[in-house]
Each structure stands twice: as structure tokens, then as C-alpha cells.
Amino acid sequence: MNAPVQAVHLHRPYKQKEGGWSVAEVEALFNLPFMDLLHRAASVHREHHDANAVQLSTLLSIKTGGCEEDCKYCSQSAHYDTGLQAEKLMDLYDVLVAAKQAKASGATRFCMGAAWRQPKERHMEQLSTMVKEVKALGLETCLTAGMLSDAQTDQLKDAGLDYYNHNLDTSPEFYGEIITTRTYQDRLDTLERVRKAGMKVCSGGIVGLGENRTQRAGLVAQLANLNPPPDSVPINNLIRIEGTPLGGGDALDPFEFVRTIAVARITMPKSMVRLSAGREAMDEALQALCFYAGANSIFYGDRLLTTGNPQAEADRALLAKLGVRTMDGDTPRA
Ligand code: SAM
Ligand code: DTB
Ligand code: SF4
């Protein structure tokens, strides 16, 4: 694999769209002929980013399963029997072994995920130490651990956390079909706290939950209208987990997934758009289309949190075939 390059910042100044994005405007983008949509997304991508560079981010589940929330897609919810073995918060040593391995195989970002509704006070010191030590290895740090209080965001900021991931997941209208144990507003409040504490916001969603196109547009409009939009936007394609309410059913049309990436790129020109869960079910050509449509980060390593991801060698081979370099760090805001 080529050596990581510093992100090339081809900044065009970007001001948030006057009056924000209406759902109808976002849906109109979804409705464009596929080639027109991709051309537009690729042009926006090139204006604001190096179109031939992708960031490699490795995930680690630091606390697995037994979660109080009832997210209908999730293997880790205690509400469903998915056969997953719950595990308590990992030791610092084991986290650092995984982070060193991730760095050695070429990742520049390390994202730690904990299956909690909200971290308990007794966990905060351990989380802060993990963040500090992972950062000290020279990796960009990201944590996703559920809702946070003001005091918790301050603690994580002090520990040096770069990004906090907390997804809106879907549109406000469809949300109640998927999660009942915490509200959309709870999520928006956590994102606001993360921003106020001075950390970067990572927030995106999942598609393929049974939402319609208007509802996908509703998710993208919500994200794009955050002021400022999230610095990082993961787009997950549902991985169907046996035992969850969404374990059966049809996969989303692959072109609709690419459209979602393209619309996220157009409406959030400066954000990192992350081609997240679901890559194992995508062939190389589909992933290349996602990069063309503006995705510039992938999860790298053979595990996501509880499910599989393509082998690192296969990803390196794909990027090499496409002449795509890897990014060191991400695109800072202007
Ligand atoms: N427990 C924390 C929370 O939900 O705030 C953090 C971890 S949670 C697993 C992070 C995100 O992963 C979810 O918001 C969802 O978007 C995504 N995700 C979880 N299960 C998934 C699945 N089966 N398929 C696709 N994406 C999934
Ligand atoms: C995000 O939006 N996707 C990642 C990361 N943030 C934490 C998680 C994907 C999880 C996929 C299902 C699993 O492995 O359990
Ligand atoms: Fe818990 Fe997060 Fe899974 Fe929801 S997505 S059940 S909050 S681990």
C-alpha cells in the first residue's frame, strides 16, 4: 500500500445553505437521474477534498452486548436474543494492543464502541485513560458510547478525544419504528453537548431499515441542517442480524445506497463521509461507485463491532487497483 498522505485541502469556502435544506430539496437530489447525481456529487467532492484519498479507521468494541436500548437493528440490544456473548468493559492493555495493531496495519483513526445507553460515572476514568493512551500512539480517536451529560463531554474533551460518534440513525418521522427507549431529541441534545465541549461531531445513520426515500431524505436533511453539519457522517447499510426484529427482509437496492452517499456529499460538502457498515455484502465495483459519489473513509480491519468487515488485504488491494491513497488525519474545517 502507498504511504499515507496528508489530506490535501482543496478548500473552497463553504457557507451553510441559506435557510437550510428542506426535505423536498434533498429528495429532489435523490430523484435526479443516477448519472447526473453522481456527476454532481463527484464535482462537489473534488472541490473540497482529495478525490483519490480515503481514510482508514479501525473499530473496536470495548464493551459488548447487554445494552438497555431497543434499537431494532442491533445485535447488542438486551431486548433480543441474537446469541451474542456480552462482555464487560475491556482492560486498557487489551485496547492498546488492538490500537497498536490497527496502526501497524495502516489505520490512522481508531474508534472505540461501547454498548451503553449512557456511560456510568464509574466508567469515565477508564474511558478517559483509553482515549489518552490511544491518542498518544498517534491515532485520531473516536468514541461511541451512547448519550453523554455535560460533565461527561467535558471529561472526554479533557482526555483529548477528537470525535464523538452518535448517530441520528433515521428521519424523525420513521425513528419511532426503530427505537423507543430514547428520543430523537435525546440524540440531538448529546450532539449539541459534544459540539459545545469542543469535540468534533460524528453523526450519520443507517439505511435499509424499511424507510422510504422521503425518510432517507429526512435523515440527510436533519444532518445537513445541524449548524455546523457533522464533521463526519457515517452511512451504514443495515446488516441483518438474526434474532432482531429486522433480521429478515430485503436488502436496499445498491444504487439507492450509492445515491444516499452522493446526497450526503452534496449537502455536507466539507464533512468526511464514511462508507460504514455493510461493505462485506458489496462487491468492489459498488464500493468504487461509493468512493466516486464522495465517500472518503472506510472501516478497516476484519471486524466492525460484532459483525464482519472485508479483510484488510482485500481493502488494500482494492484501493491499489483504484489508485486511491490513504489519508493521514482528516480534513480540518476551514
Ligand atoms: N451504543 C452506542 C449508540 O448506539 O449510541 C454506540 C454503538 S452503536 C452500535 C453505533 C451505530 O452503529 C448505530 O447508531 C447504528 O447506526 C450502527 N449499527 C448498529 N448495528 C448495525 C447493523 N446491524 N447494521 C448497520 N449499522 C448498525
Ligand atoms: C457507525 O455509524 N457505524 C459503526 C460505528 N459508527 C461505531 C458501527 C457499525 C456496527 C455494525 C454492526 C456490528 O458490527 O455490530
Ligand atoms: Fe445499544 Fe447502540 Fe445497539 Fe442501540 S445501537 S442497542 S444503543 S449498542
Side-chain angles (χ1 to χ4, degrees):
M1 191 171 43
N2 297 326
V5 291
Q6 284 292 336
V8 178
H9 306 308
L10 309 165
H11 287 304
R12 297 276 184 292
Y14 176 72
K15 259 188 46 225
Q16 200 160 25
K17 185 173 170 295
E18 195 103 9
W21 286 92
S22 70
V23 177
E25 285 170 324
V26 177
E27 195 173 359
L29 293 174
F30 267 99
N31 291 341
L32 285 171
F34 188 73
M35 302 309 162
D36 291 351
L37 174 61
L38 255 65
H39 179 71
R40 190 160 157 192
S43 309
V44 170
H45 190 192
R46 278 162 187 276
E47 261 185 57
H48 295 275
H49 304 270
D50 179 344
N52 296 300
V54 158
Q55 189 188 31
L56 304 182
S57 177
T58 293
L59 266 176
L60 178 70
S61 182
I62 58 169
K63 187 269 168 187
T64 305
C67 183
E68 294 157 70
E69 305 282 347
D70 69 352
C71 313
K72 283 204 174 87
Y73 50 77
C74 188
S75 61
Q76 306 199 66
S77 167
H79 295 254
Y80 319 119
D81 183 7
T82 63
L84 184 74
Q85 178 76 44
E87 287 164 34
K88 60 177 185 40
L89 184 58
M90 275 173 79
D91 288 336
L92 174 67
Y93 178 83
D94 296 327
V95 173
L96 292 179
V97 168
K100 282 178 194 162
Q101 265 167 10
K103 185 169 181 182
S105 31
T108 57
R109 172 187 173 98
F110 194 68
C111 180
M112 294 162 272
W116 282 318
R117 173 177 167 77
Q118 176 164 2
K120 301 257 182 331
E121 289 317 310
R122 67 171 190 278
H123 296 131
M124 289 310 294
E125 206 181 308
Q126 201 173 336
L127 288 179
S128 296
T129 311
M130 282 177 190
V131 168
K132 258 185 221 145
E133 302 267 328
V134 170
K135 201 178 162 84
L137 298 175
L139 286 158
E140 190 173 80
T141 52
C142 180
L143 176 70
T144 180
M147 296 189 285
L148 296 177
S149 67
D150 285 326
Q152 289 174 327
T153 50
D154 289 343
Q155 273 170 280
L156 293 171
K157 168 70 185 163
D158 289 348
L161 184 64
D162 296 304
Y163 282 84
Y164 193 75
N165 167 243
H166 196 62
N167 292 339
L168 292 182
D169 271 352
T170 190
S171 73
E173 294 74 25
F174 190 65
Y175 183 85
E177 302 286 319
I178 304 299
I179 299 138
T180 68
T181 48
R182 75 174 156 214
T183 66
Y184 213 76
Q185 191 58 49
D186 288 335
R187 291 183 186 248
L188 292 168
D189 291 346
T190 291
L191 294 179
E192 179 59 29
R193 289 191 181 102
V194 169
R195 175 73 71 202
K196 250 185 26 213
M199 288 176 287
K200 292 190 194 172
V201 169
C202 175
S203 188
I206 317 189
V207 293
L209 301 170
E211 77 288 343
N212 60 32
R213 188 177 264 185
T214 310
Q215 290 159 338
R216 278 188 286 283
L219 164 68
V220 174
Q222 280 287 327
L223 293 166
N225 289 338
L226 293 176
N227 195 3
D231 304 272
S232 155
V233 181
I235 306 291
N236 297 281
N237 201 359
L238 175 67
I239 300 173
R240 294 191 181 274
I241 311 278
E242 226 183 289
T244 65
L246 297 176
D250 295 332
L252 185 73
D253 182 293
F255 295 119
E256 190 66 14
F257 184 79
V258 180
R259 281 180 188 272
T260 310
I261 298 267
V263 172
R265 169 51 68 220
I266 293 168
T267 55
M268 294 172 272
K270 289 172 69 85
S271 308
M272 298 294 289
V273 173
R274 303 188 186 276
L275 168 53
S276 301
R279 274 197 314 117
E280 229 183 2
M282 297 177 197
D283 65 16
E284 291 189 333
L286 181 58
Q287 294 181 60
L289 269 184
C290 292
F291 296 138
Y292 184 65
N296 57 354
S297 173
I298 54 172
F299 286 121
Y300 173 70
D302 60 2
R303 297 291 297 158
L304 291 168
L305 292 174
T306 68
T307 62
N309 196 44
Q311 296 289 324
E313 304 81 72
D315 281 342
R316 287 197 296 261
L318 172 59
L319 297 181
K321 272 198 260 188
L322 300 176
V324 168
R325 288 156 295 151
T326 54
M327 236 184 253
D328 193 8
D330 69 354
T331 309
R333 311 192 73 77

